[in-house]
Amino acid sequence: MNFSEFMTITAKTVDAALDRYLPPETADPKVIHASMRYSVFAGGKRIRPALTLAAAKAVGGDQARALPAACAIELIHTYSLIHDDLPAMDNDDMRRGKPTNHKVFGEDIAILAGDALFTHALHLLVQVGRDTGISPSVLLTVVEEVTKACGSSGLIGGQMMDLMAEGKSLVEEDLVRIHSAKTGALFRVAVRAGAMLGGGSDEDLAVLTAYAENFGLAFQITDDILDVTGDQAVIGKLVGSDARNRKTTYATLFGIPEARRKAEQACSEALTALDRLGKEADFLRHAVQFVALREY
Ligand code: GRG
């Protein structure tokens, strides 16, 4: 199975699980559940849950045990996108080729849908994780790491630094700090959670953490490049959002060719990190190829 087949199968497995885990649209209050489901099923690539499942496999673990965490991480990612698109943040009208959540449901409901996705993610991680027979101490560590990744030193901190940086000139160190919190933290925990739930050793965790950090960096640099060179119809949102919000990015700081070189360097370090893992880590290797070549 190649990576694109793996991604297709993973997306189907994750979508079916998310459908089971989320309250139905018929449950009251219907509108909040419709809003949550609208963004969750709007066509995301499911790259983070794919990494969680691939990391569990890479350490020889059972992917089914990592499925609740994979879904929880995708719900948190969706929450971050809904809030990132709000008028008070990036003020984007389109996401994944569809009107953003607040454009369809209004700002008040979009804020609540994001909040509800976060609390639901933690609830399902604990409830389904426990019912799947995951040991309480592993589950507790996963919850600890997921919540840390979301907080003021993770996604929220990264978003805060990003907002404060608008209109200011940054150096590479600033960009690395912002990206590793805003984008990197969720990739890092997606991989680490999969490795922990798959029963990986401390050594496995160390190499997979190095993999995830480089993967996250390459992913974000590519995102910056696509905001300049991407095809709107393919990426599903307006290009040029960073320029409109006067953001320094890898593309504006270094120019496209050098930004590409830096993304390639991060990809190559991600691959090197996997050197001591065997064939079970091949999906993680293919994921790097996907990031290097991605057009959306
Ligand atoms: C969710 C804890 C939490 C906090 C909210 C708004 C915010 C604080 C953080 C913003 C984080 C953010 C939007 C980072 C950008 C990450 C990024 C590169 C998103 C694009 O990811 P893809 O390409 O998207 O995987 P799809 O649509 O495929 O899922």
PDB file of all heavy atoms in Angstrom, residues 20-33:
ATOM      1  N   ARG A  20     -19.276   8.490  14.443  1.00  0.00           N
ATOM      2  CA  ARG A  20     -19.786   7.781  15.631  1.00  0.00           C
ATOM      3  C   ARG A  20     -19.589   8.612  16.896  1.00  0.00           C
ATOM      4  O   ARG A  20     -20.425   8.632  17.781  1.00  0.00           O
ATOM      5  CB  ARG A  20     -19.012   6.465  15.833  1.00  0.00           C
ATOM      6  CG  ARG A  20     -19.393   5.336  14.922  1.00  0.00           C
ATOM      7  CD  ARG A  20     -18.863   3.994  15.453  1.00  0.00           C
ATOM      8  NE  ARG A  20     -17.454   3.960  15.791  1.00  0.00           N
ATOM      9  CZ  ARG A  20     -16.460   3.737  14.921  1.00  0.00           C
ATOM     10  NH1 ARG A  20     -16.744   3.570  13.647  1.00  0.00           N
ATOM     11  NH2 ARG A  20     -15.205   3.679  15.321  1.00  0.00           N
ATOM     12  N   TYR A  21     -18.433   9.257  16.979  1.00  0.00           N
ATOM     13  CA  TYR A  21     -18.072   9.958  18.218  1.00  0.00           C
ATOM     14  C   TYR A  21     -18.801  11.298  18.417  1.00  0.00           C
ATOM     15  O   TYR A  21     -18.923  11.778  19.533  1.00  0.00           O
ATOM     16  CB  TYR A  21     -16.565  10.245  18.244  1.00  0.00           C
ATOM     17  CG  TYR A  21     -15.657   9.028  18.306  1.00  0.00           C
ATOM     18  CD1 TYR A  21     -14.374   9.068  17.764  1.00  0.00           C
ATOM     19  CD2 TYR A  21     -16.070   7.842  18.919  1.00  0.00           C
ATOM     20  CE1 TYR A  21     -13.526   7.973  17.818  1.00  0.00           C
ATOM     21  CE2 TYR A  21     -15.218   6.742  18.975  1.00  0.00           C
ATOM     22  CZ  TYR A  21     -13.954   6.809  18.425  1.00  0.00           C
ATOM     23  OH  TYR A  21     -13.120   5.727  18.481  1.00  0.00           O
ATOM     24  N   LEU A  22     -19.214  11.926  17.280  1.00  0.00           N
ATOM     25  CA  LEU A  22     -19.847  13.248  17.419  1.00  0.00           C
ATOM     26  C   LEU A  22     -21.343  13.110  17.659  1.00  0.00           C
ATOM     27  O   LEU A  22     -21.983  12.215  17.092  1.00  0.00           O
ATOM     28  CB  LEU A  22     -19.631  14.068  16.139  1.00  0.00           C
ATOM     29  CG  LEU A  22     -18.266  14.733  15.983  1.00  0.00           C
ATOM     30  CD1 LEU A  22     -18.092  15.242  14.547  1.00  0.00           C
ATOM     31  CD2 LEU A  22     -18.081  15.881  16.978  1.00  0.00           C
ATOM     32  N   PRO A  23     -21.926  14.020  18.461  1.00  0.00           N
ATOM     33  CA  PRO A  23     -23.388  13.984  18.621  1.00  0.00           C
ATOM     34  C   PRO A  23     -24.059  14.200  17.261  1.00  0.00           C
ATOM     35  O   PRO A  23     -23.541  14.963  16.441  1.00  0.00           O
ATOM     36  CB  PRO A  23     -23.679  15.175  19.553  1.00  0.00           C
ATOM     37  CG  PRO A  23     -22.369  15.506  20.191  1.00  0.00           C
ATOM     38  CD  PRO A  23     -21.293  15.085  19.231  1.00  0.00           C
ATOM     39  N   PRO A  24     -25.183  13.515  17.002  1.00  0.00           N
ATOM     40  CA  PRO A  24     -25.859  13.690  15.704  1.00  0.00           C
ATOM     41  C   PRO A  24     -26.498  15.081  15.594  1.00  0.00           C
ATOM     42  O   PRO A  24     -26.755  15.725  16.610  1.00  0.00           O
ATOM     43  CB  PRO A  24     -26.949  12.609  15.720  1.00  0.00           C
ATOM     44  CG  PRO A  24     -27.184  12.337  17.164  1.00  0.00           C
ATOM     45  CD  PRO A  24     -25.894  12.588  17.880  1.00  0.00           C
ATOM     46  N   GLU A  25     -26.747  15.481  14.343  1.00  0.00           N
ATOM     47  CA  GLU A  25     -27.378  16.802  14.122  1.00  0.00           C
ATOM     48  C   GLU A  25     -28.789  16.858  14.685  1.00  0.00           C
ATOM     49  O   GLU A  25     -29.334  17.939  14.892  1.00  0.00           O
ATOM     50  CB  GLU A  25     -27.424  17.086  12.622  1.00  0.00           C
ATOM     51  CG  GLU A  25     -26.141  17.703  12.134  1.00  0.00           C
ATOM     52  CD  GLU A  25     -26.233  18.193  10.696  1.00  0.00           C
ATOM     53  OE1 GLU A  25     -27.263  18.801  10.331  1.00  0.00           O
ATOM     54  OE2 GLU A  25     -25.275  17.948   9.963  1.00  0.00           O
ATOM     55  N   THR A  26     -29.376  15.675  14.919  1.00  0.00           N
ATOM     56  CA  THR A  26     -30.749  15.646  15.431  1.00  0.00           C
ATOM     57  C   THR A  26     -30.792  15.865  16.952  1.00  0.00           C
ATOM     58  O   THR A  26     -31.852  16.039  17.530  1.00  0.00           O
ATOM     59  CB  THR A  26     -31.381  14.272  15.117  1.00  0.00           C
ATOM     60  OG1 THR A  26     -30.448  13.258  15.504  1.00  0.00           O
ATOM     61  CG2 THR A  26     -31.709  14.132  13.640  1.00  0.00           C
ATOM     62  N   ALA A  27     -29.611  15.828  17.603  1.00  0.00           N
ATOM     63  CA  ALA A  27     -29.590  16.023  19.063  1.00  0.00           C
ATOM     64  C   ALA A  27     -29.658  17.524  19.377  1.00  0.00           C
ATOM     65  O   ALA A  27     -28.992  18.329  18.721  1.00  0.00           O
ATOM     66  CB  ALA A  27     -28.311  15.429  19.653  1.00  0.00           C
ATOM     67  N   ASP A  28     -30.451  17.861  20.380  1.00  0.00           N
ATOM     68  CA  ASP A  28     -30.560  19.276  20.782  1.00  0.00           C
ATOM     69  C   ASP A  28     -29.330  19.723  21.551  1.00  0.00           C
ATOM     70  O   ASP A  28     -28.740  18.905  22.278  1.00  0.00           O
ATOM     71  CB  ASP A  28     -31.809  19.465  21.656  1.00  0.00           C
ATOM     72  CG  ASP A  28     -33.066  19.453  20.809  1.00  0.00           C
ATOM     73  OD1 ASP A  28     -32.988  19.943  19.661  1.00  0.00           O
ATOM     74  OD2 ASP A  28     -34.095  18.943  21.285  1.00  0.00           O
ATOM     75  N   PRO A  29     -28.907  20.946  21.446  1.00  0.00           N
ATOM     76  CA  PRO A  29     -29.374  21.960  20.507  1.00  0.00           C
ATOM     77  C   PRO A  29     -28.793  21.702  19.109  1.00  0.00           C
ATOM     78  O   PRO A  29     -27.583  21.735  18.928  1.00  0.00           O
ATOM     79  CB  PRO A  29     -28.843  23.277  21.093  1.00  0.00           C
ATOM     80  CG  PRO A  29     -27.857  22.915  22.153  1.00  0.00           C
ATOM     81  CD  PRO A  29     -27.883  21.449  22.390  1.00  0.00           C
ATOM     82  N   LYS A  30     -29.726  21.465  18.165  1.00  0.00           N
ATOM     83  CA  LYS A  30     -29.333  20.955  16.837  1.00  0.00           C
ATOM     84  C   LYS A  30     -28.295  21.838  16.146  1.00  0.00           C
ATOM     85  O   LYS A  30     -27.372  21.346  15.506  1.00  0.00           O
ATOM     86  CB  LYS A  30     -30.572  20.834  15.949  1.00  0.00           C
ATOM     87  CG  LYS A  30     -31.571  19.798  16.465  1.00  0.00           C
ATOM     88  CD  LYS A  30     -32.743  19.665  15.500  1.00  0.00           C
ATOM     89  CE  LYS A  30     -33.801  18.697  15.998  1.00  0.00           C
ATOM     90  NZ  LYS A  30     -34.488  19.117  17.242  1.00  0.00           N
ATOM     91  N   VAL A  31     -28.453  23.152  16.288  1.00  0.00           N
ATOM     92  CA  VAL A  31     -27.599  24.043  15.499  1.00  0.00           C
ATOM     93  C   VAL A  31     -26.116  23.920  15.875  1.00  0.00           C
ATOM     94  O   VAL A  31     -25.240  23.991  15.016  1.00  0.00           O
ATOM     95  CB  VAL A  31     -28.116  25.508  15.568  1.00  0.00           C
ATOM     96  CG1 VAL A  31     -27.960  26.102  16.951  1.00  0.00           C
ATOM     97  CG2 VAL A  31     -27.396  26.373  14.536  1.00  0.00           C
ATOM     98  N   ILE A  32     -25.819  23.700  17.135  1.00  0.00           N
ATOM     99  CA  ILE A  32     -24.404  23.591  17.528  1.00  0.00           C
ATOM    100  C   ILE A  32     -23.805  22.290  16.947  1.00  0.00           C
ATOM    101  O   ILE A  32     -22.667  22.273  16.463  1.00  0.00           O
ATOM    102  CB  ILE A  32     -24.211  23.680  19.068  1.00  0.00           C
ATOM    103  CG1 ILE A  32     -22.708  23.733  19.434  1.00  0.00           C
ATOM    104  CG2 ILE A  32     -24.825  22.533  19.827  1.00  0.00           C
ATOM    105  CD1 ILE A  32     -22.087  25.053  19.224  1.00  0.00           C
ATOM    106  N   HIS A  33     -24.608  21.239  16.955  1.00  0.00           N
ATOM    107  CA  HIS A  33     -24.097  19.978  16.399  1.00  0.00           C
ATOM    108  C   HIS A  33     -23.952  20.064  14.881  1.00  0.00           C
ATOM    109  O   HIS A  33     -23.016  19.511  14.305  1.00  0.00           O
ATOM    110  CB  HIS A  33     -24.998  18.809  16.841  1.00  0.00           C
ATOM    111  CG  HIS A  33     -25.022  18.662  18.329  1.00  0.00           C
ATOM    112  ND1 HIS A  33     -26.173  18.491  19.063  1.00  0.00           N
ATOM    113  CD2 HIS A  33     -24.016  18.739  19.249  1.00  0.00           C
ATOM    114  CE1 HIS A  33     -25.867  18.436  20.351  1.00  0.00           C
ATOM    115  NE2 HIS A  33     -24.569  18.589  20.482  1.00  0.00           N
TER     116      HIS A  33
END
